[in-house]
Amino acid sequence: MQFGYSEICLAHDPGSRHPESPDRLRAIRERLKKKHGVEYAESDPCTVDELSTVHDRAYVESVREFCADGGGNWDPDTTAVEETWNALRQSAGLACWAVETALEGATGRETPFSIGRPPGHHAVPDDAMGFCFVNNAAVAAQQALDHPDYDVDRVAIVDWDVHHGNGTQDIFYERDDVFFVSLHEKGLYPGTGAVDETGEGDGAGTTMNVPMPAGTDDVGYLAAIDGPITAALTDYDPDVLIVSAGFDAHRHDPISRIRLSTEAYALMTDRLRAFADGIDAALAFVLEGGYGLDVLADSVAIVHETFDGRDPVEPSGDLDDTAESTLEDVLDAHGLDLDLP
Ligand SMILES: [Zn+2]
């Protein structure tokens, strides 16, 4: 893969006890050193104008002033330092690089993955929360839709971070040009993302929430991808597919109770890659959460290896009843009629 990375993202340091630390990127980079076929690219940072395409300009300016004043705790979880302003603009810029690179035709071993931080998917139009200031994937999706060189009418975002992508959902909730899918742990922060949150107005039906019960394993997540998610994405037929790739649903991540193995990330990657290839959609990955440094690094590495020729190994076992009934509810909420795998 091509990884979008910048040292500027390391300077956002919310303190040694904060789980969203620069060590996350250092751990990923260290692991990728030993891998074949890894390339790095840099990008320009986003401007205030670009960030303001999905955020309120007054909010963006208030973040700039907050950082210029030295930062501090925006809320109990979300901490900025002076350098956070440049890091968040860089993180959004890397996400835009990833989507633009995919639109330019990078596929297969050239598929782009932006590993910026701070992450983005909790950032709502007018507020920071959950370690996120700017919604990187949303800024990149909007830039794809607005890009003069590419004829992009529809973008899909699949968010497999273990937390609900409430910010991305809010930004596009009443729009039909972005289809947002969130696969997350039911009941976890921030508490939104129920099955019946499916979009409103022009966006009715273009938000899909899959709140999986604590304890769900690889079989449950793959059934979600192979069942309702692929069915909905097939109907939607996006020009661009962005994966909001958090790795905190791993069984060894310290802050969740979903029980994915590292292999699950290879399998989900392989499924989404096959889907994107099949409809000729541009495919890009954008880093979100993931707080167990070893398993974060392992999981990013296995996404890379999946594009470098490694064949993923299918899980064994049956779909658990609670997970199955959640997926049946998702199918019902979206008027989809199909048998679960
Ligand atoms: Zn998360």
Side-chain angles (χ1 to χ4, degrees):
M1 303 189 86
Q2 305 186 61
F3 287 90
Y5 168 76
S6 169
E7 292 203 348
I8 292 169
C9 291
L10 300 177
H12 164 61
D13 189 350
S16 60
R17 286 192 304 279
H18 200 288
E20 205 291 286
S21 84
D23 287 342
R24 299 176 61 233
L25 299 189
R26 294 188 184 105
I28 292 169
R29 298 248 302 163
E30 187 62 30
R31 193 67 42 94
L32 291 175
K33 262 186 198 167
K34 300 169 190 123
K35 302 295 175 187
H36 170 264
V38 173
E39 292 170 43
Y40 285 100
E42 261 256 28
S43 73
D44 292 331
C46 279
T47 62
V48 169
D49 283 348
E50 287 166 333
L51 303 180
S52 302
T53 60
V54 300
H55 291 286
D56 294 353
R57 182 175 291 269
Y59 161 69
V60 175
E61 293 291 358
S62 71
V63 173
R64 171 155 68 179
E65 286 160 21
F66 187 75
C67 295
D69 288 345
N73 291 330
W74 182 277
D75 71 19
D77 297 322
T78 313
T79 303
V81 294
E82 190 175 348
E83 292 82 0
T84 299
W85 173 248
N86 285 335
L88 66 86
R89 291 192 305 126
Q90 189 66 43
S91 190
L94 290 166
C96 291
W97 162 84
V99 172
E100 186 160 3
T101 299
L103 280 168
E104 284 165 2
T107 58
R109 287 181 162 84
E110 301 297 311
T111 301
F113 190 156
S114 71
I115 51 169
R117 56 179 289 284
H121 73 150
H122 295 305
V124 296
D126 63 352
D127 207 358
M129 59 184 280
F131 317 160
C132 304
F133 292 89
V134 158
N135 200 309
N136 307 311
V139 173
Q142 187 65 51
Q143 192 167 94
L145 288 163
D146 295 343
H147 205 295
D149 299 345
Y150 303 102
D151 190 17
V152 174
D153 297 320
R154 289 179 305 284
V155 176
I157 301 173
V158 173
D159 182 337
W160 73 37
D161 186 281
V162 80
H163 302 96
H164 177 232
N166 63 298
T168 319
Q169 170 169 308
D170 282 9
I171 288 166
F172 299 118
Y173 204 59
E174 296 182 16
R175 288 172 44 176
D176 61 3
D177 52 356
V178 176
F179 194 106
F180 177 62
V181 179
S182 182
L183 188 51
H184 50 271
E185 179 181 328
K186 184 178 184 176
L188 209 60
Y189 180 90
T192 45
V195 169
D196 62 2
E197 295 167 27
T198 57
E200 278 175 11
D202 288 346
T206 64
T207 294
M208 174 179 273
N209 281 298
V210 189
M212 298 303 267
T216 298
D217 62 8
D218 298 7
V219 173
Y221 262 54
L222 278 181
I225 300 258
D226 292 340
I229 294 174
T230 298
L233 292 177
T234 302
D235 287 348
Y236 189 69
D237 191 24
D239 304 305
V240 178
L241 175 59
I242 300 171
V243 181
S244 259
F247 297 91
D248 39 10
H250 196 287
R251 65 180 60 162
H252 297 310
D253 188 276
I255 65 177
S256 82
R257 292 179 298 159
I258 296 289
R259 300 197 43 80
L260 298 188
S261 69
T262 304
E263 195 68 31
Y265 292 105
L267 289 156
M268 292 196 291
T269 297
D270 195 45
R271 298 298 208 276
L272 293 175
R273 171 180 65 166
F275 169 77
D277 284 351
I279 62 163
D280 210 19
L283 174 64
F285 291 72
V286 175
L287 183 65
E288 300 286 357
Y291 306 101
L293 295 182
D294 281 343
V295 293
L296 169 65
D298 287 346
S299 301
V300 171
I302 211 166
V303 169
H304 162 71
E305 287 168 25
T306 306
F307 284 99
D308 199 48
R310 181 185 180 279
D311 285 326
V313 182
E314 293 292 324
S316 55
D318 295 325
L319 181 59
D320 146 302
D321 289 347
T322 346
E324 183 171 3
S325 86
T326 300
L327 298 182
E328 296 286 3
D329 292 346
V330 173
L331 291 171
D332 284 350
H334 287 269
L336 294 166
D337 183 20
L338 56 108
D339 293 326
L340 289 169

